[in-house]
Amino acid sequence: QVQLQESGPGLVKPSQTLSLTCTVSGGSISSGSYYWSWIRQPAGKGLEWIGHIYTSGSTNYNPSLKSRVTISVDTSKNQFSLNLSSVTAADTAVYYCARDSPRYCGGDTCYYASDIWGQGTMVTVSS
Amino acid sequence: EIVMTQSPATLSVSPGERATLSCRASQSVNNNLAWYQQKPGQAPRLLIYGASTRATAFPARFSGSGSGTEFTLTISSLQSEDFAVYYCQQYNNWPRTFGQGTKVEIK
C-alpha cells in the first residue's frame, strides 16, 4: 500500500527557506491521477492547506502563501518537495504531505480529497 | 476563499451516546465535502468524502449527510476510540479550506 514520509530540517532560522521532502513508497508518484499535497498544523491549532502538485507538474497554492511557496516533484526519486521562503515564527508547525485522489468526476472536472497522509514532521522557526 | 465553520468547538459525550457535529460553508461546495478524524500526535485520517461516503477503514456508526452549505457528521454510538478532533474540508474550490475542528471528548 502507498505510504508517505516527510523529511527535512526540524529547525529553520527566520528569513531562511524551509525545505521538506515527501517520499512516496508502495507506488509510483507518476502513475494514476493524483495530486500531491502539503498541509500544515501549528501546535494546538487547525489544519491549513498549503498547496498541491498534479502528476503532470501543474500546481495550485494557497493565496495566503503563494508568494513564498514552491512545490515540485522528482519522479526519478518518487518524491515531491515543499519550499517555503522568508519564514517567520508563524510558520512553525507540523507539516504533512498527503495524496489527493479523485472522489468524484463530472464532465471534465474531478474533485480530490486527501486519502493518504504522512505522519507529519515538526518544523520550528527560531534563531 | 470559502470559509468553513464547525460547531460546536467541543462536544462532551458519554460512551454509547450519539454525537452530531455540524459544518457550514460560506458558499456552496456541492457535495465536495470531507470529514477527517485526528487523534493526538497522529495525522488526520479521511473518514467521509462526497459528504456521505464512508471510508472503508471506518465502521458504519459513522455517517455523513448534507449538501451545498450545510453538513453533518453523526456518530451513532460513541466508542472509546472515537474520541478525537474532527475536521471538515471542502475540496470544491481552491484553496482547499478546513473548518477549525470539533473536539469530541468524554463526558
Side-chain angles (χ1 to χ4, degrees), chain B residues 11-70:
Chain B
L11 189 59
S12 298
V13 186
S14 299
E17 289 189 340
R18 182 186 192 91
T20 303
L21 289 67
S22 296
C23 175
R24 175 177 291 178
S26 61
Q27 64 188 74
S28 176
V29 299
N30 299 303
N31 284 347
N32 296 311
L33 188 285
W35 290 94
Y36 296 88
Q37 179 194 68
Q38 187 178 35
K39 296 181 179 180
Q42 297 183 16
R45 296 170 64 198
L46 179 63
L47 167 60
I48 298 281
Y49 60 91
S52 61
T53 303
R54 181 170 36 86
T56 55
F58 287 88
R61 63 179 179 271
F62 292 92
S63 62
S65 63
S67 66
T69 62
E70 300 282 345

Side-chain angles (χ1 to χ4, degrees), chain A residues 41 52 60 103 112 114 118, chain B residues 32 36 38 43 49 87 91 94:
Chain A
Q41 184 173 38
H52 61 197
N60 288 289
R103 294 292 151 176
Y112 295 73
S114 300
Chain B
N32 296 311
Y36 296 88
Q38 187 178 35
Y49 60 91
Y87 294 95
Y91 54 93
W94 287 295

Side-chain angles (χ1 to χ4, degrees), chain A residues 40-117:
Chain A
R40 70 180 182 179
Q41 184 173 38
K45 297 188 177 180
L47 299 161
E48 180 180 31
W49 182 79
I50 298 171
H52 61 197
I53 187 165
Y54 192 59
T55 307
S56 64
S58 66
T59 54
N60 288 289
Y61 299 135
N62 192 322
S64 67
L65 299 169
K66 187 174 183 177
S67 64
R68 300 193 291 129
V69 172
T70 303
I71 297 175
S72 59
V73 63
D74 186 339
T75 55
S76 67
K77 294 182 179 179
N78 228 33
Q79 296 174 335
F80 63 106
S81 298
L82 169 70
N83 278 355
L84 181 65
S85 63
S86 305
V87 297
T88 69
D91 297 309
T92 295
V94 175
Y95 285 75
Y96 295 101
C97 60
R99 186 188 80 171
D100 294 358
S101 64
R103 294 292 151 176
Y104 169 74
C105 293
D108 294 334
T109 305
C110 289
Y111 298 88
Y112 295 73
S114 300
D115 63 339
I116 300 175
W117 295 61

